[in-house]
Amino acid sequence: MDSQTSQSSQTSPGAQAPHTFQVDLRGLVDLLSHHLYSSPKVYLRELLQNAVDAITARRAEQPGSPATVRLSAGSGSLRVEDSGIGLSEADVHSLLATIGRSSKRDDGLESARADFLGQFGIGLLACFVVAERIRVVSRSARTPDAPPVEWTARDDGSYTVRTLPDAARPEPGTTVHLEARAGAAEWLDEERVLSLARDFGSLLPYDVRVGDAAVTDLPAVWDREHASPAARRVALAGHCREVFGFTPLDSIDLEVPLAGVRGVAHVLPQAVSPAQRASHRVHLKGMLLTERADQLLPDWAFFVRCVIDTDSLRPTASRESLYDDETLAAVREALGERIREWLTSLAAGSPERLSAFLSVHHLGVKSLARHDKEMLRTMLPWLPFETTDGHLSLEEFAQRHPVVHFTRTVEEYRQVAPIASAQGIGVVNGGYTYDADLVEALPSVRPGTAVAELDAETVTAHLDAVDPAEELALAGFLAAARAKLDPLGCDVALRAFHPLTVPALHLDDRAARHEQARAEAEAQADDLWAGILGSLRGSAPRARLVLNHLNPLIRRVSSLADPELIGTAAEALYGQALLMAQRPLRPADSALLNRSFIGLLEWATHPGTGKDPR
C-alpha cells in the first residue's frame, strides 16, 4: 500500500522526481501486534472507537441524528454497523487507504478533536491483527446525494473501491465486515466479542449492542441514584468484585471537575507490597483506555485500586497507557488529596472504620504521614507502633513518657526492650519501615515532645550501680572476663537490674558496630590499608556486656577463682546475650559459642582441670 504523499508539479532541470514510501502492510501489522498493542483484543476497541467518533462527528453537524452501534458476530466473521457521519468515495481514498491519516485532522474538525477518542490515524489497520479481509460499506451524511461506497482490503496491502446502489446502504453511516485470518477465529466469536465490548465500552455514551445484548451500562455506578448511603456502598462493592475480584474495605469517590475526572477508588482488603504494580482502570470518554495505569495515583496510595472516566488525560499512541504530562501530574495530586480527605473524615467521624483500615494498611498511611505534617497530626492517635508499653499510638506513648526513646533497628530494640521496660524507660521500635522517621518528626506536630535515639550509654545509665565494695571484691573476676572479651571489641560492666532472670545484657549502637567493623577490616588489611583504617578509628564507646549482679547464676560465676573457667563462662554469657537479642552472628561469634559450649562440657565432666585426663 503506497503512502499518499503529494509530489511537486514542477521540478528544476536535472533534479530527480521524488519517490513515495512503500509500506509492507504485513510487516506493519506484525509490528503492531508484537510491539504496539499488548493483545489482539484491541481490534474491537478500534472498531468501537471509529464508530463512536463517527457518531460524534455526525451529531456535531446534525444534533438529533441517531446514535447506535450494532455488532453481529459468528462463523469467523464480525459486522459492526454505526449511524455515524459516514464516508464518501473521496473520503475512502483519502482516509482508509492512507496509513497515519486521521479524519480528525480534516474538514475543520481539528479544533474539536477533544470530542473524539482516536487521534493517531491508525484506525482500521489494527483489525488486520485478527482479520485477513476487511470490507467497509459507508454512506456520507455530509453529502446526502452521494451513493454508498464499498472499500475492500486484504492483509497483503491490496484494496478495491466501488460505488453501490442506494439500496445497499439507504441511511448514512458505516458497516465494517471482518473475515478472520487463520488461527484468529476465536477473536470473532460472539461470546468473546460481547465480553470485549462490555469491557471496553460499558461507559460509552451511545447505544451499543452485540446482537440483542446491551453493552453500555449507564450511568456509571458512581453516578447512579441509590436509596441510601448503605445501598450505595453495597453497589460500589459489587462493582469492585466484578471489575477487580475483591470485596473492598471501603470505596472513595474521586472527582476532579477541571480535568473531567469522575470515578471511585476501592480500598484493598489485604495488605500489599508498595512495589506491587497497580491495576487502575482508566476510561477515556467512556472507552476503556487501560487497566494498568500505574501513574494515576501517588506512590503512597498503593492500598487502593481505581476506576475513573476522563476526557482530558492524553493517551499514548497505542491508546493502552497514559501520557505522563503536566495534566496527569495535576490529576495525580488531586486524586491523592481526595484520598487524604477520606482518611481525615474517617478519623473525625468513623473511628471503627479507620481502625479496621489501619489494621491492614498502616504502612501506606505511615508512608504518607512522613511527608505530610497534617496527615501525621491527624493520624497520631491512630497509627500503631511497637513500644515497651505494648502496641500504642505515638500520641498515647508520648503522654506516658517525658522522653520518647527509639531504636533504628529491630535488633537494637530486642536488645533493650525487656530491660528498658523493667527500668521504666519508654522505647519505640523504629526498626520497621518509616517508623524511625515518624518518631523523629513527632516534635514538629507535637511541640514540646522530647525525642532521643536510645544508645548503650542511656540504657546503662538507667541500670542500678553495684555497691563499690562488692564490685571491688569482684575485680579479679571482671578483669578476667574483660581480657577474654576484649578481642571481640566488647567491654564488661557490672550492674543490678530487673528482671532477675536475665543474667547478661549485650548493648551496642550503630557507632559501636561501625567501629567494630572498622577494627575487623583493619586487622585483615595490608599495611597500607591498615594505616588508613587506623586513622579512621572512632572515639565512640564499644559494645558492652552488662552482667546482672542480681542474677543467681552471675553470683555463682563471679565466685570462680580459675581465670580460664571465668573466661569460658564470660564467652558463654556473651554468646547467650547475643542470642537473646536475636542479633546476626559473625563468624567469630559462632566460633565463640561452639568453643564456650565445648569448654563448659569439659569443665562439667572433669571439674578442676578442664582437661581430658586421657
Side-chain angles (χ1 to χ4, degrees), residues 447-517:
T449 303
V451 172
E453 184 175 353
L454 190 67
D455 55 25
E457 290 290 341
T458 303
V459 177
T460 305
H462 280 77
L463 304 180
D464 295 334
V466 177
D467 182 85
E470 293 188 36
E471 187 167 2
L472 182 60
L474 300 177
F477 162 74
L478 293 174
R482 286 169 181 148
K484 196 67 174 180
L485 297 183
D486 183 69
L488 297 171
C490 183
D491 292 331
V492 177
L494 186 66
R495 295 290 188 273
F497 56 86
H498 292 273
L500 301 179
T501 53
V502 177
L505 175 65
H506 181 270
L507 294 176
D508 67 358
D509 52 29
R510 287 186 301 161
R513 288 195 293 275
H514 176 76
E515 174 61 20
Q516 187 179 59

Side-chain angles (χ1 to χ4, degrees), residues 97-113:
T98 305
I99 297 172
R101 188 78 176 274
S102 171
S103 64
K104 269 70 78 176
R105 299 189 183 97
D106 297 317
D107 302 316
L109 292 177
E110 178 70 26
S111 61
R113 287 178 69 194

